[in-house]
Amino acid sequence: MASLDLDRVLKISDDCEGFPTDLFCVPKHYEGCVSNVLITHGTIQDRIEKLARDIFYDFYNQGKEPLHAICVLKGGYKFFSDLLDKVNGLNSNHNDGSVPISVDFIRLKSYENTESSGEVNIIGLDNLDCLQGKNVLIVEDIIDTGKTMNKLLNTINKYNPKSVKVACLLRKRTPLSSGYIPDYVGFEIPDKFVVGYALDYNEYFRDLLHICVISKQGIDKFKV
Ligand code: HPA
Ligand code: MG
């Protein structure tokens, strides 16, 4: 599989204003808390449909080997669920073969004061040895600096999986990027704080359908 060509990623430009929030359904409890709708729920679904197709055919054409999909909680849960639904749909509609899928769910906790260790604490997978020999697909909501993903890959690779790929819904354009490029990217977005579709700000906004840019009012209201 060739590495991802960033020129072919769906880019949302820095000057993209998205859509006015009052033209979409936003829960009352978030009124004024988001400044605009950046990616509508419908567009998210349409883009995931293509990612699912890309992932399915990559594995289908490479021997239909089983795929072990790992959801990085909590932010990845909606993307994971919608992505796998769509891959499973493709599996059900091919008579001449399919890609068996198994799942796991993890949360990540950075070791304190161990920036240099290059490791991350993986919670939820008691025995990482189970990854040995598997084709792993890590499913993540957003790659910001890429540092956490670099650490996660570092840790997972120690358990000798057969292959590791990463699918992320969003990749942020930030000067702080480590340069890490995932294998599958839904959208490349401006360096703004986004919420919704399971992405949170202090655990709020996961219950918002669309991906929106948080407003100053939202930041203040849900500050801890
Ligand atoms: N939104 C939510 N979580 C995040 C973001 C963001 O923009 N960047 C890194 N984690
Ligand atoms: Mg995440």
Side-chain angles (χ1 to χ4, degrees):
M1 255 174 264
S3 74
L4 181 68
D5 178 359
L6 273 186
D7 289 338
R8 298 267 311 125
V9 166
L10 202 162
K11 280 196 179 65
I12 298 178
S13 67
D14 287 344
D15 55 8
C16 173
E17 291 178 0
F19 304 103
T21 54
D22 59 345
L23 298 182
F24 289 89
C25 293
V26 170
K28 193 88 185 149
H29 52 276
Y30 294 136
E31 213 171 72
C33 299
V34 287
S35 55
N36 60 295
V37 175
L38 192 64
I39 314 172
T40 66
H41 187 254
T43 303
I44 297 168
Q45 298 304 316
D46 291 340
R47 180 71 186 119
I48 293 177
E49 190 162 12
K50 179 61 165 68
L51 289 181
R53 180 190 281 241
D54 291 347
I55 291 167
F56 175 79
Y57 281 110
D58 281 349
F59 285 87
Y60 189 85
N61 293 329
Q62 283 203 347
K64 306 175 185 66
E65 289 183 4
L67 176 59
H68 190 60
I70 300 182
C71 173
V72 184
L73 294 171
K74 298 179 186 174
Y77 92 91
K78 274 186 176 284
F79 176 41
F80 185 82
S81 169
D82 289 337
L83 182 70
L84 289 205
D85 276 356
K86 292 179 198 322
V87 175
N88 289 335
L90 291 164
N91 263 329
S92 308
N93 286 303
H94 280 72
N95 287 328
D96 51 348
S98 52
V99 179
I101 296 177
S102 52
V103 298
D104 257 321
F105 298 85
I106 60 170
R107 292 190 70 181
L108 304 180
K109 197 162 185 271
S110 293
Y111 289 119
E112 276 172 29
N113 305 320
T114 53
E115 191 68 16
S116 56
S117 80
E119 293 233 21
V120 68
N121 200 357
I122 300 174
I123 303 166
L125 247 183
D126 294 338
N127 187 4
L128 286 163
D129 287 321
C130 71
L131 301 179
Q132 188 174 341
K134 289 190 177 158
N135 293 303
V136 171
L137 178 72
I138 300 171
V139 181
E140 172 74 290
D141 53 353
I142 185 165
I143 305 249
D144 194 319
T145 64
K147 285 181 187 147
T148 305
M149 186 51 70
N150 280 331
K151 290 182 189 177
L152 176 61
L153 289 170
N154 203 19
T155 303
I156 282 187
N157 277 321
K158 291 205 168 99
Y159 293 86
N160 298 318
K162 181 172 181 194
S163 67
V164 184
K165 301 278 174 208
V166 175
C168 74
L169 181 62
L170 308 174
R171 180 176 190 258
K172 211 182 261 195
R173 276 190 305 278
T174 162
L176 300 177
S177 172
S178 68
Y180 172 73
I181 300 172
D183 301 277
Y184 305 95
V185 175
F187 303 88
E188 199 188 78
I189 62 165
D191 193 4
K192 295 176 178 162
F193 199 86
V194 292
V195 291
Y197 193 70
L199 284 99
D200 77 310
Y201 169 68
N202 293 333
E203 295 299 328
Y204 293 93
F205 297 102
R206 294 198 201 274
D207 56 338
L208 175 63
L209 273 182
H210 315 291
I211 293 178
C212 302
V213 177
I214 196 168
S215 66
K216 171 85 173 56
Q217 187 183 329
I219 290 173
D220 291 342
K221 180 170 177 183
F222 298 109
K223 201 168 256 167
V224 288

